[in-house]
Amino acid sequence: MNSSPSPRRTELLAAGAATVTVLLWASAFVSIRSAGQAYAPGALALGRLLAGALVLGVICLIRREGLPGRAAWPGIVISGLLWFGLYMVVLNWGEQKVDAGTAALVVNIGPLIMALLAGWLLKEGLPSRLLAGMAVSFLGAAVVGLSMSGEGSASVLGVLLCLLAAFAYAGGVVAQKPALRHGSALQVTTYGCVIGAVACLPFAGQLVSDARDAPLSATLNMLYLGVFPTALAFTTWAFALARTTAGRMGATTYAVPALVVLMSWVALDEVPGWITLVGGLVCLAGVAVSRSGPRAGANTVTVGTADTADTADTAGTATAAVPATAVGATPEPPRLQPCPEPQSENS
């Protein structure tokens, strides 16, 4: 008797996991903005990663998870360095220069960068709609940058740092998705987090110093970032992406920038200016352009088991704002759909 879950049940589980991820990654932008007032970018990243790695390590022990397959390690190492390490440091730095909503809007072009990288590195091709969407999104990012120029060079630097975060996030996701073919979502997330933490160890002295002087609220925000937007949200994202297509996952992340603007308005009393919001909407429009129209040649994917997910998009996705992850065996390399995807923390 076949005990595997039905496609419908698998789809619902993936949708639920994606929803959890989107909410937690949106909250991460707000927590970073708050904790960043007391913690330097590198120190905040290290504290977050250490907390996340500890929680994930305990879960692995309880579940008796072994090591992922040898073939998973190249992707784990690259995603650990880019997504868990570099992304978190530069995003923290960027959010010290611009508000949380602006950061989320700029990082939102990450999914398009993923598609470009997959087209180049995985030989998936570069559809004209993808290139058009990329051009529109970068126009939006330029509008955001110009809108911040009146607030000084620090704000422009913040926009550039958020762009760098988007590239790091995209590269990490493209590397992580193939790794999930040889390890579980929990394994790949745990060891990626550990590698990111090791890469951030040079900030250990600064973390100790900042923790000594930081108010309790800032330290609690740092721990929250490690436990929820990192340990929980990165795992639920990997779980969801392994069970559905990157296109569907990308669609779920469109809500992140709007949620971030709303949360930062309520919690931090800050909202991007209207020109900045227009630029952010243009960024989102670019993502929509890349996803529009027929998708000739795309693989048909039946939502179901992890084996089915192997034939999904290799680009992975994260927030049509932030930050992503996924799984497979060795069938024909998955085909990229011109679409997006923690914007994450990701966020």
Side-chain angles (χ1 to χ4, degrees):
M1 181 176 179
N2 187 3
S3 59
S4 62
S6 67
R8 177 59 178 166
R9 176 177 168 77
T10 300
E11 188 173 359
L12 290 174
L13 288 173
T19 300
V20 170
T21 302
V22 166
L23 289 171
L24 291 178
W25 276 352
S27 71
F29 281 90
V30 179
S31 287
I32 289 171
R33 181 74 169 161
S34 180
Q37 297 176 11
Y39 285 91
L44 178 57
L46 177 58
R48 172 184 180 174
L49 289 167
L50 288 174
L54 178 61
V55 171
L56 289 167
V58 170
I59 296 173
C60 280
L61 287 175
I62 294 174
R63 291 177 55 87
R64 298 184 179 179
E65 292 267 353
L67 292 173
R70 182 181 301 178
W73 282 101
I76 291 175
V77 171
I78 294 172
S79 66
L81 293 174
L82 289 179
W83 196 12
F84 289 87
L86 179 61
Y87 168 79
M88 292 191 182
V89 173
V90 296
L91 179 61
N92 293 345
W93 189 5
E95 283 209 55
Q96 290 187 349
K97 310 296 183 183
V98 298
D99 59 82
T102 299
L105 289 166
V106 175
V107 174
N108 190 56
I109 70 171
L112 285 184
I113 301 172
M114 289 174 211
L116 262 181
L117 290 176
W120 171 44
L121 297 174
L122 304 177
K123 312 301 181 188
E124 297 291 344
L126 298 172
S128 58
R129 289 184 182 276
L130 170 61
L131 296 176
M134 181 65 98
V136 172
S137 282
F138 273 108
L139 175 61
V143 171
V144 172
L146 289 173
S147 72
M148 304 298 292
S149 62
E151 310 202 12
S153 58
S155 294
V156 176
L157 174 61
V159 172
L160 293 176
L161 287 168
C162 290
L163 278 174
L164 177 57
F167 275 94
Y169 151 58
V173 170
V174 170
Q176 188 187 54
K177 176 136 187 169
L180 281 161
R181 297 175 182 155
H182 310 283
S184 69
L186 180 58
Q187 288 173 329
V188 172
T189 303
T190 299
Y191 292 102
C193 188
V194 169
I195 288 169
V198 171
C200 290
L201 282 178
F203 300 111
Q206 193 171 40
L207 173 61
V208 172
S209 175
D210 288 350
R212 220 172 13 230
D213 303 325
L216 179 61
S217 60
T219 301
L220 289 177
N221 265 302
M222 180 177 68
L223 295 176
Y224 169 82
L225 286 166
V227 175
F228 294 99
T230 303
L232 177 57
F234 274 65
T235 303
T236 53
W237 180 266
F239 173 89
L241 189 55
R243 287 161 176 79
T244 186
T245 66
R248 290 186 181 183
M249 288 300 290
T252 66
T253 61
Y254 281 111
V256 170
L259 287 171
V260 173
V261 170
L262 180 61
M263 290 178 181
S264 61
W265 184 13
V266 173
L268 305 174
D269 195 28
E270 60 181 30
V271 181
W274 71 270
I275 297 180
T276 303
L277 286 173
V278 168
L281 290 175
V282 172
C283 288
L284 288 174
V287 178
V289 167
S290 74
R291 289 174 51 82
S292 64
R295 297 177 183 175
N299 283 350
T300 300
V301 180
T302 301
V303 177
T305 64
D307 290 336
T308 304
D310 293 349
T311 61
D313 314 330
T314 352
T317 322
T319 99
V322 141
T325 331
V327 182
T330 351
E332 172 189 339
R335 272 187 128 58
L336 173 68
Q337 297 182 20
C339 95
E341 185 159 303
Q343 262 124 326
S344 269
E345 278 167 209
N346 358 172
S347 169

